[in-house]
Amino acid sequence: FWWILGIMAVVTMVHHFILRPWFLNWGAPASIQSLVLPGDKLTTHKGDTRAVLIKASPEEIWPWIVQLGQDRGGMYSYTWLENLARADMRNVYELRDELQSPRKEGDTIWLANPDHYNGQGYQILAVVIPNEAFVMVGGKDYQRILKGEKALGSWSIYLYPENLHFTWLIARSSGSDFPAGNRVLRYFTYEVPHFIMEKKMLKTMKRLAEHY
């Protein structure tokens, strides 16, 4: 019995002190993690930052971001995992004119089929700056923002030029003061799956932008 507890303690420590710091800010150097970005003001805490460096301009990458959404080009992640969660995702690996309608603040970004999850599988665009920022929040959080309050959380995609030839594609998850129970639940059930899916999304968008 005691040796089982010992193994569990070691695994927990390795996860918390080694693996977790690595995956929370995967791919993002300190200079990118420390950036103050447009969506940060919507929440209390800046949160975690992941990034990939792409050999393309922001103008070349932005059309792929515009296509994000279950009702557009998908989320560029593991389709089979998304659909295991009943997202009914169909990823599109090409740019299509009919999927390029300009995004604007207040738009709904569907993360799952609107007919599933009682129509709650979505985010709302709270900040849109073409070729720069694509900031999403939950429906209730968007109402909080409209009232001048802080959102409980946000999920943002940014483009930050490194130089004339390379651009950082950044994903940042920010939050406010969640209740203790919510923080524990996120720690054990949300962080790792979100990392797996988001990493795939970033790497897929890098491949598409560089080789399309």
Side-chain angles (χ1 to χ4, degrees), residues 1 10 41 50 55 58 78 120 158 165 197:
F1 174 75
V10 170
K41 63 185 178 183
R50 299 185 180 114
K55 190 176 182 180
Y78 293 104
Q120 297 302 306
Y158 299 104
H165 305 289
M197 301 299 285

mmCIF file with all atom_site columns, all heavy atoms in Angstrom, residues 1 10 41 50 55 58 78 120 158 165 197:
data_model
loop_
_atom_site.group_PDB
_atom_site.id
_atom_site.type_symbol
_atom_site.label_atom_id
_atom_site.label_alt_id
_atom_site.label_comp_id
_atom_site.label_asym_id
_atom_site.label_entity_id
_atom_site.label_seq_id
_atom_site.pdbx_PDB_ins_code
_atom_site.Cartn_x
_atom_site.Cartn_y
_atom_site.Cartn_z
_atom_site.occupancy
_atom_site.B_iso_or_equiv
_atom_site.pdbx_formal_charge
_atom_site.auth_seq_id
_atom_site.auth_comp_id
_atom_site.auth_asym_id
_atom_site.auth_atom_id
_atom_site.pdbx_PDB_model_num
ATOM 1   N N   . PHE A 1 1   ? 0.833   -1.218 0.000   1.00 0.00 ? 1   PHE A N   1
ATOM 2   C CA  . PHE A 1 1   ? 0.000   0.000  0.000   1.00 0.00 ? 1   PHE A CA  1
ATOM 3   C C   . PHE A 1 1   ? 0.862   1.259  0.000   1.00 0.00 ? 1   PHE A C   1
ATOM 4   O O   . PHE A 1 1   ? 0.632   2.183  -0.769  1.00 0.00 ? 1   PHE A O   1
ATOM 5   C CB  . PHE A 1 1   ? -0.942  -0.019 1.209   1.00 0.00 ? 1   PHE A CB  1
ATOM 6   C CG  . PHE A 1 1   ? -1.729  1.255  1.370   1.00 0.00 ? 1   PHE A CG  1
ATOM 7   C CD1 . PHE A 1 1   ? -2.798  1.537  0.530   1.00 0.00 ? 1   PHE A CD1 1
ATOM 8   C CD2 . PHE A 1 1   ? -1.391  2.182  2.363   1.00 0.00 ? 1   PHE A CD2 1
ATOM 9   C CE1 . PHE A 1 1   ? -3.515  2.719  0.678   1.00 0.00 ? 1   PHE A CE1 1
ATOM 10  C CE2 . PHE A 1 1   ? -2.119  3.340  2.529   1.00 0.00 ? 1   PHE A CE2 1
ATOM 11  C CZ  . PHE A 1 1   ? -3.183  3.619  1.674   1.00 0.00 ? 1   PHE A CZ  1
ATOM 12  N N   . VAL A 1 10  ? 5.454   10.517 -6.381  1.00 0.00 ? 10  VAL A N   1
ATOM 13  C CA  . VAL A 1 10  ? 6.521   10.839 -7.328  1.00 0.00 ? 10  VAL A CA  1
ATOM 14  C C   . VAL A 1 10  ? 5.932   11.295 -8.665  1.00 0.00 ? 10  VAL A C   1
ATOM 15  O O   . VAL A 1 10  ? 6.372   12.298 -9.245  1.00 0.00 ? 10  VAL A O   1
ATOM 16  C CB  . VAL A 1 10  ? 7.457   9.630  -7.537  1.00 0.00 ? 10  VAL A CB  1
ATOM 17  C CG1 . VAL A 1 10  ? 8.407   9.891  -8.699  1.00 0.00 ? 10  VAL A CG1 1
ATOM 18  C CG2 . VAL A 1 10  ? 8.242   9.343  -6.267  1.00 0.00 ? 10  VAL A CG2 1
ATOM 19  N N   . LYS A 1 41  ? -6.422  42.408 -21.095 1.00 0.00 ? 41  LYS A N   1
ATOM 20  C CA  . LYS A 1 41  ? -7.196  43.336 -20.266 1.00 0.00 ? 41  LYS A CA  1
ATOM 21  C C   . LYS A 1 41  ? -8.583  42.800 -19.915 1.00 0.00 ? 41  LYS A C   1
ATOM 22  O O   . LYS A 1 41  ? -9.247  43.337 -19.027 1.00 0.00 ? 41  LYS A O   1
ATOM 23  C CB  . LYS A 1 41  ? -7.349  44.666 -20.999 1.00 0.00 ? 41  LYS A CB  1
ATOM 24  C CG  . LYS A 1 41  ? -8.124  44.554 -22.312 1.00 0.00 ? 41  LYS A CG  1
ATOM 25  C CD  . LYS A 1 41  ? -8.160  45.860 -23.076 1.00 0.00 ? 41  LYS A CD  1
ATOM 26  C CE  . LYS A 1 41  ? -8.904  45.704 -24.406 1.00 0.00 ? 41  LYS A CE  1
ATOM 27  N NZ  . LYS A 1 41  ? -8.890  46.953 -25.204 1.00 0.00 ? 41  LYS A NZ  1
ATOM 28  N N   . ARG A 1 50  ? 1.284   29.562 -25.441 1.00 0.00 ? 50  ARG A N   1
ATOM 29  C CA  . ARG A 1 50  ? 1.957   28.581 -26.296 1.00 0.00 ? 50  ARG A CA  1
ATOM 30  C C   . ARG A 1 50  ? 2.174   29.212 -27.665 1.00 0.00 ? 50  ARG A C   1
ATOM 31  O O   . ARG A 1 50  ? 1.412   30.094 -28.076 1.00 0.00 ? 50  ARG A O   1
ATOM 32  C CB  . ARG A 1 50  ? 1.121   27.305 -26.422 1.00 0.00 ? 50  ARG A CB  1
ATOM 33  C CG  . ARG A 1 50  ? 0.882   26.622 -25.080 1.00 0.00 ? 50  ARG A CG  1
ATOM 34  C CD  . ARG A 1 50  ? 0.152   25.303 -25.228 1.00 0.00 ? 50  ARG A CD  1
ATOM 35  N NE  . ARG A 1 50  ? -0.048  24.686 -23.914 1.00 0.00 ? 50  ARG A NE  1
ATOM 36  C CZ  . ARG A 1 50  ? -1.234  24.503 -23.337 1.00 0.00 ? 50  ARG A CZ  1
ATOM 37  N NH1 . ARG A 1 50  ? -2.341  24.870 -23.977 1.00 0.00 ? 50  ARG A NH1 1
ATOM 38  N NH2 . ARG A 1 50  ? -1.333  23.951 -22.155 1.00 0.00 ? 50  ARG A NH2 1
ATOM 39  N N   . LYS A 1 55  ? 7.268   30.539 -40.871 1.00 0.00 ? 55  LYS A N   1
ATOM 40  C CA  . LYS A 1 55  ? 7.923   31.267 -41.962 1.00 0.00 ? 55  LYS A CA  1
ATOM 41  C C   . LYS A 1 55  ? 6.845   31.791 -42.907 1.00 0.00 ? 55  LYS A C   1
ATOM 42  O O   . LYS A 1 55  ? 6.583   31.242 -43.979 1.00 0.00 ? 55  LYS A O   1
ATOM 43  C CB  . LYS A 1 55  ? 8.905   30.370 -42.703 1.00 0.00 ? 55  LYS A CB  1
ATOM 44  C CG  . LYS A 1 55  ? 9.786   31.135 -43.696 1.00 0.00 ? 55  LYS A CG  1
ATOM 45  C CD  . LYS A 1 55  ? 10.823  30.248 -44.351 1.00 0.00 ? 55  LYS A CD  1
ATOM 46  C CE  . LYS A 1 55  ? 11.716  31.056 -45.288 1.00 0.00 ? 55  LYS A CE  1
ATOM 47  N NZ  . LYS A 1 55  ? 12.743  30.200 -45.935 1.00 0.00 ? 55  LYS A NZ  1
ATOM 48  N N   . PRO A 1 58  ? 2.047   37.802 -41.169 1.00 0.00 ? 58  PRO A N   1
ATOM 49  C CA  . PRO A 1 58  ? 0.733   37.785 -40.537 1.00 0.00 ? 58  PRO A CA  1
ATOM 50  C C   . PRO A 1 58  ? -0.401  37.760 -41.560 1.00 0.00 ? 58  PRO A C   1
ATOM 51  O O   . PRO A 1 58  ? -1.416  37.080 -41.347 1.00 0.00 ? 58  PRO A O   1
ATOM 52  C CB  . PRO A 1 58  ? 0.721   39.083 -39.724 1.00 0.00 ? 58  PRO A CB  1
ATOM 53  C CG  . PRO A 1 58  ? 2.154   39.340 -39.409 1.00 0.00 ? 58  PRO A CG  1
ATOM 54  C CD  . PRO A 1 58  ? 2.896   38.891 -40.631 1.00 0.00 ? 58  PRO A CD  1
ATOM 55  N N   . TYR A 1 78  ? -7.000  17.316 -33.762 1.00 0.00 ? 78  TYR A N   1
ATOM 56  C CA  . TYR A 1 78  ? -7.260  15.890 -33.996 1.00 0.00 ? 78  TYR A CA  1
ATOM 57  C C   . TYR A 1 78  ? -8.763  15.699 -34.216 1.00 0.00 ? 78  TYR A C   1
ATOM 58  O O   . TYR A 1 78  ? -9.539  15.695 -33.262 1.00 0.00 ? 78  TYR A O   1
ATOM 59  C CB  . TYR A 1 78  ? -6.794  15.060 -32.802 1.00 0.00 ? 78  TYR A CB  1
ATOM 60  C CG  . TYR A 1 78  ? -5.297  15.055 -32.606 1.00 0.00 ? 78  TYR A CG  1
ATOM 61  C CD1 . TYR A 1 78  ? -4.718  15.824 -31.597 1.00 0.00 ? 78  TYR A CD1 1
ATOM 62  C CD2 . TYR A 1 78  ? -4.463  14.301 -33.427 1.00 0.00 ? 78  TYR A CD2 1
ATOM 63  C CE1 . TYR A 1 78  ? -3.339  15.830 -31.404 1.00 0.00 ? 78  TYR A CE1 1
ATOM 64  C CE2 . TYR A 1 78  ? -3.084  14.296 -33.236 1.00 0.00 ? 78  TYR A CE2 1
ATOM 65  C CZ  . TYR A 1 78  ? -2.530  15.062 -32.228 1.00 0.00 ? 78  TYR A CZ  1
ATOM 66  O OH  . TYR A 1 78  ? -1.167  15.066 -32.048 1.00 0.00 ? 78  TYR A OH  1
ATOM 67  N N   . GLN A 1 120 ? -24.498 25.022 -26.456 1.00 0.00 ? 120 GLN A N   1
ATOM 68  C CA  . GLN A 1 120 ? -23.561 25.791 -25.631 1.00 0.00 ? 120 GLN A CA  1
ATOM 69  C C   . GLN A 1 120 ? -22.097 25.608 -26.040 1.00 0.00 ? 120 GLN A C   1
ATOM 70  O O   . GLN A 1 120 ? -21.208 26.148 -25.380 1.00 0.00 ? 120 GLN A O   1
ATOM 71  C CB  . GLN A 1 120 ? -23.723 25.391 -24.167 1.00 0.00 ? 120 GLN A CB  1
ATOM 72  C CG  . GLN A 1 120 ? -25.099 25.697 -23.597 1.00 0.00 ? 120 GLN A CG  1
ATOM 73  C CD  . GLN A 1 120 ? -25.449 27.170 -23.691 1.00 0.00 ? 120 GLN A CD  1
ATOM 74  O OE1 . GLN A 1 120 ? -24.701 28.029 -23.219 1.00 0.00 ? 120 GLN A OE1 1
ATOM 75  N NE2 . GLN A 1 120 ? -26.583 27.477 -24.312 1.00 0.00 ? 120 GLN A NE2 1
ATOM 76  N N   . TYR A 1 158 ? -3.014  34.982 -31.448 1.00 0.00 ? 158 TYR A N   1
ATOM 77  C CA  . TYR A 1 158 ? -2.340  36.207 -31.842 1.00 0.00 ? 158 TYR A CA  1
ATOM 78  C C   . TYR A 1 158 ? -1.289  35.936 -32.911 1.00 0.00 ? 158 TYR A C   1
ATOM 79  O O   . TYR A 1 158 ? -0.735  34.833 -32.998 1.00 0.00 ? 158 TYR A O   1
ATOM 80  C CB  . TYR A 1 158 ? -1.624  36.849 -30.640 1.00 0.00 ? 158 TYR A CB  1
ATOM 81  C CG  . TYR A 1 158 ? -2.531  37.250 -29.514 1.00 0.00 ? 158 TYR A CG  1
ATOM 82  C CD1 . TYR A 1 158 ? -2.601  36.490 -28.347 1.00 0.00 ? 158 TYR A CD1 1
ATOM 83  C CD2 . TYR A 1 158 ? -3.303  38.403 -29.585 1.00 0.00 ? 158 TYR A CD2 1
ATOM 84  C CE1 . TYR A 1 158 ? -3.417  36.861 -27.295 1.00 0.00 ? 158 TYR A CE1 1
ATOM 85  C CE2 . TYR A 1 158 ? -4.134  38.776 -28.534 1.00 0.00 ? 158 TYR A CE2 1
ATOM 86  C CZ  . TYR A 1 158 ? -4.176  37.996 -27.392 1.00 0.00 ? 158 TYR A CZ  1
ATOM 87  O OH  . TYR A 1 158 ? -4.988  38.365 -26.356 1.00 0.00 ? 158 TYR A OH  1
ATOM 88  N N   . HIS A 1 165 ? 10.346  37.991 -42.195 1.00 0.00 ? 165 HIS A N   1
ATOM 89  C CA  . HIS A 1 165 ? 10.073  36.676 -42.792 1.00 0.00 ? 165 HIS A CA  1
ATOM 90  C C   . HIS A 1 165 ? 9.368   35.690 -41.862 1.00 0.00 ? 165 HIS A C   1
ATOM 91  O O   . HIS A 1 165 ? 8.803   34.704 -42.335 1.00 0.00 ? 165 HIS A O   1
ATOM 92  C CB  . HIS A 1 165 ? 11.388  36.055 -43.290 1.00 0.00 ? 165 HIS A CB  1
ATOM 93  C CG  . HIS A 1 165 ? 12.148  36.923 -44.241 1.00 0.00 ? 165 HIS A CG  1
ATOM 94  N ND1 . HIS A 1 165 ? 11.715  37.168 -45.522 1.00 0.00 ? 165 HIS A ND1 1
ATOM 95  C CD2 . HIS A 1 165 ? 13.301  37.629 -44.076 1.00 0.00 ? 165 HIS A CD2 1
ATOM 96  C CE1 . HIS A 1 165 ? 12.576  37.980 -46.132 1.00 0.00 ? 165 HIS A CE1 1
ATOM 97  N NE2 . HIS A 1 165 ? 13.542  38.279 -45.285 1.00 0.00 ? 165 HIS A NE2 1
ATOM 98  N N   . MET A 1 197 ? -4.706  19.164 -27.799 1.00 0.00 ? 197 MET A N   1
ATOM 99  C CA  . MET A 1 197 ? -5.489  19.673 -28.924 1.00 0.00 ? 197 MET A CA  1
ATOM 100 C C   . MET A 1 197 ? -4.915  20.990 -29.453 1.00 0.00 ? 197 MET A C   1
ATOM 101 O O   . MET A 1 197 ? -4.839  21.203 -30.669 1.00 0.00 ? 197 MET A O   1
ATOM 102 C CB  . MET A 1 197 ? -6.946  19.849 -28.504 1.00 0.00 ? 197 MET A CB  1
ATOM 103 C CG  . MET A 1 197 ? -7.620  18.584 -28.016 1.00 0.00 ? 197 MET A CG  1
ATOM 104 S SD  . MET A 1 197 ? -7.695  17.278 -29.265 1.00 0.00 ? 197 MET A SD  1
ATOM 105 C CE  . MET A 1 197 ? -8.991  17.928 -30.321 1.00 0.00 ? 197 MET A CE  1
#
